Each structure stands twice: as structure tokens, then as C-alpha cells.
Amino acid sequence: MTPQVGPLVIALILTSGDRYFLSGKSDYLIGRLGPSGFPPDADLSEVFAFEAGVSRQHVMIHVRANGVFVEDLGSTNETVHNGYRLMPEQWYPLRDGDELRLGAIILNVSFGHL
């Protein structure tokens, strides 16, 4: 088994081929830009997130020593993880190859290391 070197990089890959890369933090906000101007770590606005039902603060991805977790932040149009609807404000394990659906946007999750 090859040792993992460098920080974890989480790639969120849309069916359109658009990609969002997350690295260097322990918590990542996924959603769309709102009037406050506070940008999420993965801003899905440019892929028609509003029209697809993505909330401004839709989900949070948490990176901890014991794993990576996803949390729905009480989104209006729910989060579905591998076909199962997430209950708001609960952490669920997130693994390489998982699928997240935020509103009508599908994200495939991929883990790697720098």
C-alpha cells in the first residue's frame, strides 16, 4: 500500500465536468453566493445553483483525524448522499467515490493527496 503524502484534496466533480477542489482546511461550506457576499468554499452559483435548488449554505464537509463527514445545513431542497436523504445537522461519513445531490445538482466525490 502506497503511503499517503501531503494534505487531503477533495474533488467535487459535476456531471458537466466542472470541478471544485477543496484543500487546506478542516471545514468547507458548499452552496451558492448570497447577497451578503460571503462566498462558500465551493460556490455553485456559476453552474445555475439557484435554479437547481441549492441553498446558500447547503452542506458542510468536515475533515477530521477519524475521517471525512458531510452535514446538511438545513437546506431547503435537501441533500441526498448515495441515494439516502440526509437529516439536517447530523454528520455522515463521506468516502471516495460517493455521490451527493444538492437540489438538482449531482456531485461525485473524489479524494486524493498532494
Side-chain angles (χ1 to χ4, degrees):
M1 181 172 191
T2 305
Q4 299 174 349
V5 180
L8 177 68
V9 176
I10 301 169
L12 304 175
I13 306 162
L14 282 76
T15 52
S16 64
D18 290 299
R19 296 170 185 258
Y20 296 85
F21 296 99
L22 308 171
S23 181
K25 293 174 59 177
S26 57
D27 298 294
Y28 301 98
L29 176 62
I30 315 301
R32 60 181 173 82
L33 189 60
S36 68
F38 181 75
D41 296 295
D43 180 6
L44 303 176
S45 298
E46 59 194 39
V47 292
F48 305 104
F50 176 78
E51 295 82 355
V54 176
S55 297
R56 290 183 185 106
Q57 296 183 359
H58 202 104
V59 298
M60 186 74 75
I61 294 178
H62 306 281
V63 179
R64 299 296 186 267
N66 62 336
V68 180
F69 303 88
V70 61
E71 173 191 14
D72 180 272
L73 299 174
S75 63
T76 302
N77 292 308
E78 74 187 19
T79 302
V80 177
H81 175 226
N82 294 333
Y84 294 94
R85 181 179 174 264
L86 301 185
M87 298 303 298
E89 300 178 11
Q90 294 185 31
W91 291 25
Y92 296 85
L94 187 63
R95 295 183 176 82
D96 184 51
D98 282 358
E99 179 183 278
L100 293 173
R101 183 173 53 80
L102 285 60
I105 291 181
I106 296 173
L107 303 168
N108 290 297
V109 179
S110 178
F111 294 167
H113 289 272
L114 291 177

